[in-house]
Amino acid sequence: MAEKPDLLAQLAAKFPKKIESSLSKGGVKLTYIPVSSVIARANEVLGFDWSYQVMSTHRDDDWIIAHVRVTVTNGEGCSMRDGFGGQQIKHTRAGAILDLGHEYKGAVSDALKKALQAFGVALYLASDESLESTFDTAAGPERGVPSPPSTSGPAATPSEEGVGDELKKLAARAKDMGVTPAGLRSVASEVLGWEIKKASDIKTHAEIEAISMSLDAKEEEQ
């Protein structure tokens, strides 16, 4: 494929601030774009001239790892970019796996966004040339560091720094989607595996990310 400057510029255009979300990992605040917005950008700019293939997925301890290849075509040929993504498996307070299929979906979405980033989508968010942090949606403890067991309910756990601001963004996004506060609490309860009665019941960036990904799925269904 001949890489036309106008197409690359359209793919690389900045997203509106209201679409951007953020999370903290390893003490670093990361900005990411929901997969629905990334796919919409590719569809808008490339139409039917792009596709992606899941090359592989596998489970590595408490992580799901995915390899995705994006292909962009036109009359002159094609161009391919690969992306690798991961999603940490979430557990209920009782220790059971919450939704393994959801984690596979999250890993594939992460890999897809990284592959499209190599074509310029949200490349401006990258802090360095490695492109490893921009779409890192696997929030929570660093890989290889197990989460400490919980012996109490959600209310006994202090909120992580910045969670309040992310909850406000989550609520605003739900409102824009037409999801009522009660509906958002219902979604959060279903995703997290315990009843959410108020915002303060959500205490971590990992929990917010899980809820946000559920909203992503709802947007794709609309």
Side-chain angles (χ1 to χ4, degrees):
M1 171 186 171
E3 296 186 337
K4 299 181 179 179
D6 57 335
L7 290 181
L8 293 178
Q10 292 176 55
L11 288 171
K14 290 186 176 182
F15 287 88
K17 284 291 184 181
K18 66 180 182 180
I19 292 179
E20 295 180 358
S21 296
S22 62
L23 57 84
S24 294
K25 181 181 179 184
V28 178
K29 188 174 183 179
L30 304 175
T31 300
Y32 69 95
I33 305 296
V35 66
S36 56
S37 297
V38 171
I39 292 174
R41 169 66 58 81
N43 287 339
E44 178 184 355
V45 176
L46 301 172
F48 291 104
D49 293 331
W50 79 283
S51 62
Y52 74 91
Q53 180 181 0
V54 179
M55 306 300 292
S56 67
T57 59
H58 69 276
R59 180 175 175 177
D60 183 359
D61 195 14
D62 262 357
W63 288 77
I64 302 299
I65 308 299
H67 171 198
V68 167
R69 175 169 297 164
V70 169
T71 302
V72 177
T73 62
N74 66 9
E76 300 175 3
C78 67
S79 182
M80 294 179 291
R81 301 288 188 274
D82 286 18
F84 294 85
Q87 181 79 13
Q88 189 175 29
I89 298 172
K90 301 176 184 65
H91 299 79
T92 65
R93 297 285 178 176
I97 294 177
L98 194 58
D99 186 344
L100 192 59
H102 185 77
E103 312 303 8
Y104 272 94
K105 176 180 179 294
V108 169
S109 295
D110 188 35
L112 173 60
K113 289 189 290 187
K114 287 176 177 174
L116 282 170
Q117 190 186 61
F119 281 107
V121 181
L123 184 59
Y124 66 94
L125 294 177
S127 59
D128 56 54
E129 293 182 357
S130 68
L131 310 183
E132 292 178 353
S133 64
T134 303
F135 285 125
D136 198 341
T137 58
E142 295 293 332
R143 185 174 178 182
V145 181
S147 301
S150 174
T151 57
S152 59
T157 306
S159 297
E160 294 177 356
E161 183 179 356
V163 162
D165 290 339
E166 291 305 304
L167 282 172
K168 291 178 182 178
K169 290 183 180 180
L170 187 67
R173 180 186 177 194
K175 183 178 180 181
D176 289 342
M177 291 175 60
V179 178
T180 65
L184 181 57
R185 290 194 297 271
S186 177
V187 170
S189 298
E190 180 180 356
V191 169
L192 300 179
W194 62 84
E195 186 178 8
I196 300 298
K197 296 182 178 180
K198 55 188 182 299
S200 59
D201 290 337
I202 303 171
K203 298 183 178 296
T204 71
H205 292 286
E207 292 167 0
I208 292 174
E209 174 63 11
I211 299 166
S212 181
M213 290 186 68
S214 182
L215 292 181
D216 287 349
K218 288 182 180 298
E219 274 192 325
E220 291 172 7
E221 293 170 359
Q222 292 178 354

